[in-house]
Amino acid sequence: MQYLSDGLGEAMGYLLRMEPSVISAAFRSLWISSLAVLFATLCGVPLGSWLARASIPGRWLLVFALRVAMAFPTVFLGLVCFAIFSRRGPLGALELLYTPWVIVIGEFVLAVPIIASLTHGAVFSLDSRVHETAVTLGAGPIRRWFTYISEARTGITLAVLTAFARCITELGIAMMVGGNIQGRTRTLATATAMETDKGAFAQGLAMGFIMLTIALLVTAIIGWLNHENEV
Amino acid sequence: MPQIEIEDLKVTKGKKLICHMPQMSVESGEQVAIFGANGVGKTTLMLVLAGFERDHQGACNISTALRSRSFMHQTPYLFRGTVLHNVMYGLRSHGIDSTKCRRIADEWLDRFAIADIAQARCANLSGGERKRVALARALAMSPQLLLLDEPFAEVDEAGVSLMSEVLSDLQSTTVVFTSATPLSSDVRARVVEMKTPADTTSSPVECL
């Protein structure tokens, strides 16, 4: 049990001392995941809400596929990204392998199905009076869409946070296509795995605690931005 | 020409006839109460008039465009946010600029005596307040045809007299509303009685 309290103490020490290697991994994790989730939100929320409201044939097949894709193992996504962005791969010429950008792309693919599926669920389960009330008050398609998003915002916030939690803690993509290069692609998750491998449990735990701190801050900020406490 | 002309309107769900209105005509500016017991299809008729139920037989001609009709549910849905946000929703949808929106909304909040709760969150309102907010929201966009499903149900006496006073002051709006209970003396409207669909479809001959 000693190493748990040691880890916590060490985490505090790292944060207070602003240990450069830890701080840089934390910032890298934060910006990579934030960027991936931002783009995934811009795609996933419109996709999910459109699937919830559009009446097109085969819509359920798409919803089903997105739900299955929510369970993508990150190592599998990492492998696919590796195959695409490696020298011999179709996008190898971009030379993105072992850069943070390819991690952003992998995490984007990880996040889109989560955000789209959960947004679909949130918008689909809205009361039918939402649509009727908006129509009867003269709202056009775009205003109606914003109304659905606004009415379902608790569920959509949860979708974004779930995707963010999955991205910031994921290891498979960052390890496979990022390569855990210090100062370039090392994230908190790859650093934690590496410290644990080295037997430096306390340092690994410290990284884990820092991840939790980030999760806490992000949840609080998004909740505050979204006026979650207001109904 | 009447604003609403209905001839042998029937709505069936599955194989069951859930709404039947043999004949009804409403002149522009008129106030009509559709009176009938629970389950006779009053709400379905309102949904047809509002344009939400298109799957019907018989004739239903309404000379008012969909944009100028406003429908209020029996239990109105208020959007998340403040009372003021809700009352301004329809005005904003019609592209009215925000200063004018605010002025019109304030007028209606005053008329329904809910100006003091303009900044209140809708989730905290009582049933009677919700109805008044929904009615203010519907009237703010000055519809030509106002359709109200059971507007006086679960509203106290003072609320009924306030709402009926506002409705009777309307100049150019045709109002059709439903009621399952006899109307209070404050409410002035032509009453159209609605019967259970089975009553009107089975002829006396079949009964013998």
Side-chain angles (χ1 to χ4, degrees):
Chain A
M1 284 309 285
Q2 180 68 36
Y3 62 83
L4 272 175
S5 54
D6 281 355
L8 191 59
E10 206 162 325
M12 284 301 169
Y14 280 139
L15 284 174
L16 292 176
R17 274 185 280 123
M18 302 284 276
E19 180 74 31
S21 64
V22 176
I23 297 299
S24 94
F27 266 107
R28 195 171 299 112
S29 281
L30 192 60
W31 80 253
I32 288 176
S33 304
S34 303
L35 204 60
V37 170
L38 177 73
F39 285 119
T41 304
L42 293 177
C43 299
V45 170
L47 176 65
S49 49
W50 175 71
L51 283 172
R53 289 287 148 183
S55 46
I56 45 158
R59 166 174 80 134
W60 283 106
L61 208 65
L62 248 160
V63 173
F64 182 76
L66 281 173
R67 285 182 181 172
V68 173
M70 272 172 51
F72 265 151
T74 55
V75 276
F76 171 75
L77 278 180
L79 191 70
V80 173
C81 283
F82 188 87
I84 293 172
F85 289 98
S86 69
R87 277 278 152 94
R88 289 183 301 163
L91 295 178
L94 295 175
E95 300 202 336
L96 286 175
L97 200 63
Y98 303 127
T99 68
W101 302 107
V102 73
I103 310 178
V104 172
I105 295 170
E107 290 188 359
F108 168 81
V109 178
L110 177 70
V112 166
I114 298 172
I115 295 180
S117 299
L118 296 182
T119 299
H120 167 267
V123 174
F124 189 78
S125 57
L126 281 178
D127 196 305
S128 67
R129 289 173 302 165
V130 174
H131 169 77
E132 290 173 359
T133 306
V135 170
T136 200
L137 293 170
I142 294 172
R143 190 162 162 77
R144 281 209 297 274
W145 183 73
F146 276 111
T147 303
Y148 299 148
I149 302 295
S150 160
E151 293 301 304
R153 65 177 180 261
T154 307
I156 294 174
T157 305
L158 205 58
V160 173
L161 284 176
T162 308
F164 183 81
R166 189 92 200 276
C167 284
I168 198 142
T169 57
E170 77 75 35
L171 183 62
I173 299 166
M175 199 61 114
M176 272 196 169
V177 294
N180 191 28
I181 305 167
Q182 185 169 20
R184 282 190 64 200
T185 59
R186 179 162 300 165
T187 64
L188 281 176
T190 58
T192 309
M194 187 188 68
E195 300 295 356
T196 313
D197 272 351
K198 288 198 307 197
F201 287 117
Q203 269 173 310
L205 275 176
M207 300 283 188
F209 285 126
I210 293 170
M211 266 194 265
L212 269 178
T213 312
I214 291 179
L216 187 124
L217 289 177
V218 169
T219 308
I221 291 169
I222 292 185
W224 175 72
L225 283 179
N226 227 359
H227 306 286
E228 262 317 299
N229 49 340
E230 299 167 6
V231 275
Chain B
M1 187 187 143
Q3 191 167 7
I4 301 173
E5 182 90 82
I6 286 176
E7 203 64 59
D8 201 28
L9 178 86
K10 281 178 186 167
V11 181
T12 21
K13 279 279 133 82
K15 279 184 178 164
K16 195 168 179 255
L17 182 66
I18 57 164
C19 170
H20 182 212
M21 180 54 100
Q23 206 278 326
M24 184 173 101
S25 114
V26 179
E27 296 295 331
S28 180
E30 216 181 351
Q31 306 221 347
V32 174
I34 294 166
F35 174 70
N38 291 134
V40 295
K42 299 189 296 295
T43 299
T44 310
L45 177 67
M46 296 305 268
L47 290 173
V48 172
L49 294 178
F52 292 124
E53 178 61 74
R54 289 153 196 275
D55 194 16
H56 61 77
Q57 297 160 287
C60 175
N61 297 316
I62 302 172
S63 60
T64 314
L66 274 176
R67 260 182 95 77
S68 308
R69 299 179 208 171
S70 194
F71 170 63
M72 188 176 99
H73 287 93
Q74 182 171 359
T75 39
Y77 187 92
L78 299 182
F79 296 121
R80 288 175 72 163
T82 61
V83 167
L84 184 66
H85 165 72
N86 270 277
V87 177
M88 297 213 296
Y89 187 94
L91 297 164
R92 287 229 176 101
S93 301
H94 283 79
I96 296 168
D97 74 83
S98 53
T99 357
K100 202 176 167 199
C101 263
R102 186 62 206 258
R103 194 172 51 73
I104 299 173
D106 282 341
E107 273 172 35
W108 285 102
L109 288 168
D110 270 339
R111 289 184 74 172
F112 281 100
I114 45 175
D116 54 325
I117 55 164
Q119 299 300 335
R121 305 250 143 223
C122 290
N124 305 329
L125 301 185
S126 73
E129 285 170 331
R130 297 178 77 84
K131 282 228 157 130
R132 276 190 268 170
V133 172
L135 200 50
R137 179 176 70 178
L139 281 166
M141 43 180 274
S142 31
Q144 287 171 25
L145 177 59
L146 182 63
L147 303 157
L148 310 170
D149 194 13
E150 306 258 3
F152 303 116
E154 297 158 42
V155 177
D156 62 17
E157 226 172 282
V160 172
S161 71
L162 176 74
M163 280 160 72
S164 53
E165 191 186 309
V166 175
L167 290 180
S168 59
D169 281 348
L170 295 175
Q171 300 295 325
S172 52
T173 306
T174 311
V175 184
V176 180
F177 63 93
T178 64
S179 181
T181 48
L183 297 176
S184 114
S185 55
D186 291 331
V187 185
R188 249 165 262 128
R190 175 163 70 87
V191 177
V192 173
E193 204 168 337
M194 208 169 162
K195 296 201 176 82
T196 30
D199 285 353
T200 45
T201 47
S202 62
S203 68
V205 183
E206 280 171 35
C207 290
L208 295 169

